[in-house]
């Protein structure tokens, strides 16, 4: 019983903390659509300050390669997210940037072709802090040797190993379209704080029930 109670209480606290984080992100977004100029030497040193803030980057894409993140669906259309490397000016580190969604072709064996610009670019992005990958059953990012640009999830160590370059630990998402037919769709807050608070209350009540129900059953047994 104690294990169940502790687990439910831990989940309740975790959901309450998530609610506080989501409320903070929404507050930052609603404080004004301010896009700050990105300073690689200072901004990358404060990871938490990056989250929920939009930045304007100046730099160059690595136009020699890109990746397609598999199993994406936007507005009911299957496709991929286009992943690229971007080096901000005056930065030694490269950023992994999710440029957005591109629809799939008629066949899984034919992947969409993407032409990245080679000239100096200005890109508005939002950063995701923490774990890059969402839920996945894949054991490694690249499962198809015949399509090496096709990946199942995002992983910082994978990009470092593949590119042999210094890659920043912060994942960037494009806020505005950069290339035709590629549509950004990242949402920092998918589940609002109120829903997290509701889940927190639910786990707390389950913890209470896990304590009260056995006690009432024990008391009733002794009264009989």
């Amino acid at each position: 019983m104690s294990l169940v109670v502790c687990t439910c209480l831990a989940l309740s606290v975790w959901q309450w903390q998530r609610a506080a984080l989501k409320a903070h992100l929404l507050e930052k977004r609603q404080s004004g659509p301010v896009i700050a100029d990105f300073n690689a030497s200072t901004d990358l040193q404060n990871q938490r300050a990056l989250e929920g803030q939009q930045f304007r980057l100046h730099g160059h894409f690595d136009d020699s390669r890109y990746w397609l993140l598999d199993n994406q669906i936007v507005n009911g259309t299957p496709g991929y997210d286009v992943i690229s490397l971007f080096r901000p000016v005056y930065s030694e580190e490269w950023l992994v940037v999710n440029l957005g969604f591109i629809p799939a072709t008629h066949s899984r064996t034919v992947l969409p072709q993407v032409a990245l610009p080679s000239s100096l670019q200005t890109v508005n992005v939002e950063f995701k802090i923490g774990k890059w990958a969402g839920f996945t059953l894949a054991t490694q990012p690249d499962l198809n040797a015949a399509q090496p640009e096709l990946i199942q999830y995002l992983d910082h160590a994978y990009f470092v190993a593949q590119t042999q370059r210094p890659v920043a630990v912060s994942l960037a998402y494009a806020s505005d379209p950069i290339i035709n037919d590629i549509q950004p769709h990242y949402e920092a807050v998918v589940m609002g704080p109120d829903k997290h608070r509701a889940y927190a209350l639910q786990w707390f009540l389950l913890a209470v029930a896990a304590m009260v129900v056995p006690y009432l059953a024990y008391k009733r047994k002794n009264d009989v």
Side-chain angles (χ1 to χ4, degrees):
M1 182 185 73
S2 60
L3 178 60
V4 174
V5 172
C6 290
T7 301
C8 290
L9 288 176
L11 288 170
S12 178
V13 170
W14 176 68
Q15 286 289 350
W16 195 262
Q17 291 172 338
R18 295 292 295 168
L21 175 61
K22 296 297 181 65
H24 174 67
L25 292 177
L26 286 175
E27 183 179 350
K28 289 182 70 174
R29 280 175 168 268
Q30 294 168 359
S31 63
V34 178
I35 301 178
D37 281 317
F38 182 75
N39 187 325
S41 61
T42 58
D43 291 328
L44 288 177
Q45 307 307 314
N46 188 356
Q47 297 294 304
R48 285 299 169 188
L50 294 177
E51 195 162 27
Q53 172 70 54
Q54 286 193 326
F55 288 88
R56 181 180 296 108
L57 279 60
H58 306 283
H60 291 85
F61 287 102
D62 177 358
D63 61 350
S64 67
R65 69 179 82 189
Y66 61 88
W67 296 265
L68 297 173
L69 181 60
D70 202 2
N71 300 316
Q72 304 300 302
I73 298 177
V74 174
N75 297 327
T77 301
Y80 313 89
D81 275 1
V82 180
I83 312 300
S84 63
L85 286 180
F86 184 86
R87 187 176 183 180
V89 293
Y90 310 121
S91 175
E92 296 299 321
E93 290 187 301
W94 291 76
L95 292 172
V96 174
V97 182
N98 185 322
L99 297 180
F101 175 81
I102 188 170
T105 65
H106 64 282
S107 171
R108 289 279 297 177
T109 61
V110 180
L111 296 177
Q113 297 297 306
V114 177
L116 294 170
S118 58
S119 58
L120 179 68
Q121 297 291 309
T122 298
V123 182
N124 294 332
V125 303
E126 186 170 346
F127 287 96
K128 178 182 179 181
I129 309 303
K131 189 176 180 180
W132 288 20
F135 175 77
T136 178
L137 297 176
T139 56
Q140 62 187 56
D142 52 342
L143 295 177
N144 190 340
Q147 297 174 315
E149 69 271 37
L150 185 64
I151 56 177
Q152 302 303 309
Y153 62 89
L154 302 180
D155 179 71
H156 177 260
Y158 168 79
F159 288 103
V160 173
Q162 286 291 308
T163 64
Q164 296 297 304
R165 293 175 176 175
V167 177
V169 297
S170 299
L171 176 63
Y173 286 82
S175 303
D176 303 307
I178 300 168
I179 302 173
N180 290 338
D181 300 327
I182 299 178
Q183 181 61 45
H185 63 97
Y186 175 66
E187 295 182 19
V189 179
V190 178
M191 184 185 295
D194 288 340
K195 184 165 287 189
H196 282 290
R197 294 189 189 104
Y199 282 133
L201 177 60
Q202 174 182 304
W203 284 115
F204 177 76
L205 292 177
L206 286 173
V208 172
M211 291 186 292
V212 172
V213 171
Y215 169 76
L216 293 178
Y218 174 78
K219 188 173 184 299
R220 182 178 180 183
K221 180 179 179 180
N222 286 343
D223 289 344
V224 170

